Amino acid sequence: MAEATGAALVPVDILMVGVGGQGIILASKILAHAARTAGYDIKVSEIHGMAQRGGSVVTQVRLGERVYSPLIPEGEADIILAFEQLEALRWLEYVKGGGTIIVNSQVIYPVPVLAGMAQYPENIIAHLSRRAHTLVVDALDKALECGNARAANVVLLGSLARRMPIPLSYWLSAIEDCVPARYLEVNRAAFQSGYALC
C-alpha cells in the first residue's frame, strides 16, 4: 500500500538503457517499488533486444500523480540512466534540454565491433556532456569494492536515487523486497556507494 510523503508528486521520466545481463530490469523494479511506496502512479515499459546475447535492453519508467502512457516521447526524458556508454549515445535524443545523463564508464563492445565490421565511437562522454548534465560513474569498480561486480546496476541506481524526490528509506526497503536475501548486504553497500556520489 502506498505511503504518502506529504510532498508534491513531481512527474519524472527515466530512461534506463544498457545491454542484456547488466541488471536493468531489476533496477527498474526497485525504482518502481520505491516510487509506489512514495505514492506515485507508475508506468513501466521494457524492450529486450536479444537481451540474452548482449543486445540492447531499454526500460522506460514514468512517475507522476497520474501517468497515462508508459512511453516517454523523444526529447522528454528527465534522466537517462545508462549502464553502458554506447547505449547512452543511442538514446541521447530522448533526454530533455536541461536533463541529466548518469552513465556507467564501462564499455561493452557489440558484435559488429568484435567482428571488426564497425568501430566503437570515440569521445562518447564528451558528446553526451554537450547535450545534458552528465555524471560518469565507474559502477563496475564501485561494485567490486563492495564485493560483487554484478552489483554495478545497484551502484548506478544509488546515483539515480540521489537525484529523485523519493526518500532514502523507501529505496532501501525496495532493495530488501526485490533482492534475494543472500545478496542483500552487497547490494545495500553498492546502493550507498552510488548514493554518496555527487
Side-chain angles (χ1 to χ4, degrees):
M1 184 173 185
E3 296 176 27
T5 62
L9 299 177
V10 178
V12 186
D13 291 337
I14 304 117
L15 193 66
M16 295 184 171
V17 299
V19 300
Q22 289 193 290
I24 297 164
I25 303 303
L26 174 60
S28 66
K29 285 180 180 174
I30 294 171
L31 165 59
H33 193 293
R36 187 176 301 111
T37 304
Y40 280 95
D41 185 29
I42 308 154
K43 295 287 185 296
V44 178
S45 171
E46 298 173 358
I47 301 171
H48 310 234
M50 299 291 284
Q52 296 300 318
R53 298 186 182 185
S56 295
V57 175
V58 180
T59 300
Q60 301 186 31
V61 183
R62 308 191 77 188
L63 317 176
E65 190 168 333
R66 188 76 181 132
V67 179
Y68 296 98
S69 169
L71 301 179
I72 302 171
E74 191 171 306
E76 294 191 19
D78 296 285
I79 300 174
I80 292 180
L81 184 65
F83 293 65
E84 198 276 335
Q85 290 189 34
L86 180 57
E87 294 303 319
L89 191 60
R90 281 188 215 276
W91 293 88
L92 182 57
E93 296 306 315
Y94 275 76
V95 72
K96 66 168 46 170
T100 297
I101 300 171
I102 302 170
V103 57
N104 189 2
S105 61
Q106 186 175 8
V107 167
I108 299 174
Y109 293 130
V111 171
V113 172
L114 293 172
M117 298 166 53
Q119 288 190 324
Y120 195 90
E122 295 181 354
N123 304 317
I124 289 177
I125 299 301
H127 195 69
L128 300 177
S129 298
R130 284 193 289 272
R131 170 80 182 202
H133 172 70
T134 301
L135 172 68
V136 181
V137 177
D138 190 344
L140 184 58
D141 188 56
K142 296 284 184 191
L144 285 169
E145 289 175 6
C146 296
N148 191 327
R150 293 177 61 86
N153 61 335
V154 180
V155 173
L156 291 166
L157 192 65
S159 296
L160 172 69
R162 182 68 177 257
R163 290 150 182 85
M164 295 286 293
I166 298 173
L168 175 60
S169 62
Y170 294 177
W171 290 96
L172 297 175
S173 176
I175 290 170
E176 287 185 14
D177 290 343
C178 297
V179 172
R182 65 184 183 278
Y183 300 122
L184 260 181
E185 185 176 347
V186 69
N187 278 278
R188 282 193 190 112
F191 181 86
Q192 293 288 3
S193 178
Y195 194 84
L197 298 173
C198 295

